[in-house]
Amino acid sequence: ESVLPKHLKPLLKQTPLFSPLPLDKRSSGNLSLVRQAVFDRKKLRFGYQRGDGQSSERTVWPLGAFFWGKVWTLLAYCELREDFRNFRLDRMEKAGLLEEQFPLDPDKSLDAFFARMGQDTPLD
């Protein structure tokens, strides 16, 4: 943060991508789409396959992408579950942006998720 020009510092707290290492090749296509969805506040629809093989269709409000050493995940508000969920990008299939923007709802935000977990946002 200390090396950023003054006009870019406010953007640092708005950046919802967190990664200490380079991008995993398996997730690269979905990460680009997720990044666009987060910044444009567009809903995202995709097929998702859990670790046990069960599949579902999801429409989510993408809030941020995180890298965990081996996999990228999307933190989102899931309309199906009506709650926050994490999705591995390498398990997302046929992901696509919807035209519909999701509303700015303080109860369904990245800050609300971190508050629920009893943590400040990573940049606070």
Side-chain angles (χ1 to χ4, degrees), residues 29-119:
N30 285 333
L31 182 60
S32 178
L33 189 65
V34 162
R35 183 174 185 253
Q36 181 182 354
V38 169
F39 285 113
D40 293 343
R41 281 193 15 255
K42 296 277 184 142
K43 290 184 180 184
L44 191 60
R45 183 158 179 83
F46 52 87
Y48 190 74
Q49 186 172 43
R50 296 187 336 195
D52 63 5
Q54 186 173 3
S55 296
S56 62
E57 290 288 323
R58 303 296 179 107
T59 299
V60 302
W61 304 8
L63 302 174
F66 298 81
F67 186 68
W68 299 99
K70 293 186 178 187
V71 297
W72 278 89
T73 61
L74 165 65
L75 172 69
Y77 178 80
C78 178
E79 291 185 350
L80 177 68
R81 302 293 184 221
E82 297 182 342
D83 203 359
F84 297 108
R85 291 292 187 267
N86 282 290
F87 302 95
R88 285 179 49 158
L89 271 58
D90 60 338
R91 293 183 181 166
M92 292 169 54
E93 300 173 345
K94 299 179 183 172
L97 285 178
L98 301 179
E99 287 300 315
E100 184 181 359
Q101 277 192 314
F102 57 89
L104 291 174
D105 183 334
D107 295 328
K108 299 172 185 168
S109 67
L110 189 60
D111 287 341
F113 171 79
F114 284 117
R116 184 186 294 181
M117 298 297 113
Q119 300 177 14

Side-chain angles (χ1 to χ4, degrees), residues 15-24 31 65-69 71-72:
T15 300
L17 299 174
F18 307 92
S19 173
L21 300 172
L23 176 63
D24 177 337
L31 182 60
F66 298 81
F67 186 68
W68 299 99
V71 297
W72 278 89

